[in-house]
Amino acid sequence: MSRVTDLPAHNANTAMPAWLMVLITTACGVVVANLYYSQPLLGEIGASLGMSPQTAGLIVTFTQIGYGLGLLLVVPLGDVFENRALISVLLTIEALVLVAAAIGGAPIPFLMISGLIGLAAVAVQVLVPFTSHYAPEHRRGRVIGTVMSGLTLGIMLARLVASLIASVWSWRAVYTMSALLVMAIAIAIRCTLPTRRPDYTVSYRALLGSLPGIMRETPVLRRRALYHACLFGSFSVFWTTLPLLLTSEAFGLSQLGLAMFALVGAVGAAASPLAGRLADHGLTRPWTCIAILAVLTSLLAAAFVPTGTALGLGILVGAAILLDFGVMTNVVLGQRAIYALGPQLRSRLNGLYMATFFAGGALGSAVGGFVYAHCGWRAAALTGVVLPALALAYFLTDRHCEIYCHSAP
């Protein structure tokens, strides 16, 4: 495999080689999975390190905090630093902290390491806008959708992979194997990714200082970020509380059965390339509405499911697929729209976009868990319905269609 140097970024007749797209898509899936490996392993990790259940639960929290900080403090660097070097450094750091996690033996250091795992994992959010620079305008949505499908599969399969590896070896083996994979990808990225040196030059302080202004002065970004904050919040309500329902007496699924359920739900990841093609054909507006309605419908159906029956389980499977379809369609449509605003802003736009809806997801998880604990499944699912309803109401205020002017070919 020959090394790729600078590819012409805006030549409509030039496309990134297929093998390189496969590498980037795989990299996104492998790296983002590190955010979710700990979730099914909390009990084992806590017992091994002498953590109380409450302290073990903070592992996920610290990982999410690290990722959120990385979106705002690290991802914008893609607009000023050579992208291949930045991505390689982040991936190398990720591999090293995964090794540290595998050999960790004390609670507090492990929590700090978890935060660094989340922070360095934002390499994927530098990779996604990077690919858009080397995608012809008429195929940009398709390329973004392909990369996002890898990211989605990484999210959906992480818990299953972690559970299987831990059942055969131990939770430490999960982090060890992931470290090896990430290091291999870091080397491959360094040797094959084309260079991209942004023309924009500014101090780090000024770079971060530009973020509030970009959010304030960019209606496309604000709308797309708020739409998806609502949908991702609903997604988090569903996937935070559904495992509690499925493993309760109502359905009595085992952990393996729960993993299989999540695997079936990953079918919704197929929406990513489709959404990209729709955006390339100027269909962002109608499909945004369809995506929002899909999420709303899925939560409504799930709220009134007959629990403890095969029919109920089938409805929940359908709701999960429809939910994932709507969420993945909307995120790709949003990225296609904001990346059209200008190559010099893409990393900052992506960081703001992701940070906004990531906050929505965190809020959804917290609220969903609280409502489920106090009011049960139906109330939690109906709480999830409120969020896409708000997104739909906001969508209907866009009477000038201003956010779609960049989406048509």
Side-chain angles (χ1 to χ4, degrees), residues 144-212:
I144 294 169
T146 300
V147 173
M148 288 300 293
S149 66
L151 188 145
T152 306
L153 286 173
I155 293 172
M156 299 303 294
L157 298 179
R159 299 171 185 87
L160 174 61
V161 170
S163 297
L164 292 177
I165 293 175
S167 67
V168 176
W169 290 290
S170 72
W171 67 267
R172 295 182 188 276
V174 176
Y175 288 99
T176 300
M177 295 177 71
S178 183
L180 293 173
L181 277 174
V182 172
M183 197 66 246
I185 286 173
I187 294 170
I189 289 288
R190 181 64 188 175
C191 293
T192 62
L193 208 66
T195 59
R196 176 182 175 265
R197 296 179 177 84
D199 297 328
Y200 188 62
T201 303
V202 70
S203 69
Y204 181 63
R205 181 177 179 179
L207 182 74
L208 296 186
S210 69
L211 297 180

Side-chain angles (χ1 to χ4, degrees), residues 102-127:
I103 62 177
I108 299 303
F110 193 88
L111 291 176
M112 298 299 105
I113 289 167
S114 297
L116 290 175
I117 287 173
L119 185 73
V122 298
V124 300
Q125 299 304 341
V126 181
L127 267 173

Side-chain angles (χ1 to χ4, degrees), residues 5 46 53 65-66 89 119 132 160 168 174 184 203 226 258 262 264 269 278 309 316 351 397-398 407:
T5 55
I65 290 173
V89 168
L119 185 73
S132 70
L160 174 61
V168 176
V174 176
S203 69
L226 290 174
L258 190 60
V264 173
L278 294 168
T309 66
L316 288 173
T397 67
D398 180 31
S407 296

Side-chain angles (χ1 to χ4, degrees), residues 9-339:
H10 303 289
N11 184 342
N13 297 316
T14 301
M16 187 173 285
W19 60 263
L20 189 53
M21 279 300 303
V22 171
L23 172 62
I24 292 172
T25 301
T26 303
C28 286
V30 168
V31 175
V32 80
N34 291 301
L35 300 176
Y36 301 93
Y37 284 145
S38 64
Q39 291 183 355
L41 305 176
L42 291 178
E44 291 185 45
I45 295 173
S48 176
L49 301 183
M51 293 180 173
S52 67
Q54 293 81 2
T55 304
L58 291 176
I59 294 171
V60 175
T61 303
F62 271 68
T63 306
Q64 292 175 336
I65 290 173
Y67 191 69
L69 290 174
L71 290 171
L72 292 175
L73 302 180
V74 178
V75 171
L77 293 173
D79 285 335
V80 294
F81 282 104
E82 198 281 302
N83 284 190
R84 184 178 66 188
L86 177 60
I87 294 165
S88 300
V89 168
L90 288 171
L91 291 177
T92 301
I93 293 172
E94 181 77 352
L96 292 175
V97 293
L98 286 168
V99 170
I103 62 177
I108 299 303
F110 193 88
L111 291 176
M112 298 299 105
I113 289 167
S114 297
L116 290 175
I117 287 173
L119 185 73
V122 298
V124 300
Q125 299 304 341
V126 181
L127 267 173
V128 176
F130 172 89
T131 58
S132 70
H133 290 287
Y134 294 95
E137 176 65 24
H138 67 281
R139 295 186 69 249
R140 183 169 294 143
R142 185 180 305 181
V143 169
I144 294 169
T146 300
V147 173
M148 288 300 293
S149 66
L151 188 145
T152 306
L153 286 173
I155 293 172
M156 299 303 294
L157 298 179
R159 299 171 185 87
L160 174 61
V161 170
S163 297
L164 292 177
I165 293 175
S167 67
V168 176
W169 290 290
S170 72
W171 67 267
R172 295 182 188 276
V174 176
Y175 288 99
T176 300
M177 295 177 71
S178 183
L180 293 173
L181 277 174
V182 172
M183 197 66 246
I185 286 173
I187 294 170
I189 289 288
R190 181 64 188 175
C191 293
T192 62
L193 208 66
T195 59
R196 176 182 175 265
R197 296 179 177 84
D199 297 328
Y200 188 62
T201 303
V202 70
S203 69
Y204 181 63
R205 181 177 179 179
L207 182 74
L208 296 186
S210 69
L211 297 180
I214 292 173
M215 179 64 85
R216 183 175 59 251
E217 298 166 10
T218 313
V220 179
L221 172 62
R222 284 200 309 275
R223 280 192 172 271
R224 297 305 323 188
L226 290 174
Y227 292 162
H228 206 65
C230 290
L231 298 199
F232 196 61
S234 185
F235 176 92
S236 296
V237 169
F238 183 87
W239 284 108
T240 297
T241 58
L242 182 67
L244 302 175
L245 174 68
L246 293 178
T247 55
S248 70
E249 292 182 0
F251 289 100
L253 291 190
S254 65
Q255 286 298 318
L256 181 58
L258 190 60
M260 292 299 103
F261 186 101
L263 184 60
V264 173
V267 170
S272 297
L274 172 62
R277 288 177 173 83
L278 294 168
D280 286 339
H281 287 87
L283 298 173
T284 297
R285 181 174 176 79
W287 276 90
T288 296
C289 186
I290 290 170
I292 294 172
L293 289 173
V295 174
L296 194 155
T297 301
S298 68
L299 267 295
L300 269 177
F304 296 98
V305 68
T307 57
T309 66
L311 174 62
L313 187 61
I315 292 174
L316 288 173
V317 168
I321 294 172
L322 185 61
L323 173 67
D324 291 355
F325 175 86
V327 169
M328 289 313 305
T329 296
N330 192 68
V331 72
V332 173
L333 293 175
Q335 286 176 307
R336 176 66 170 81
I338 65 171
Y339 291 168

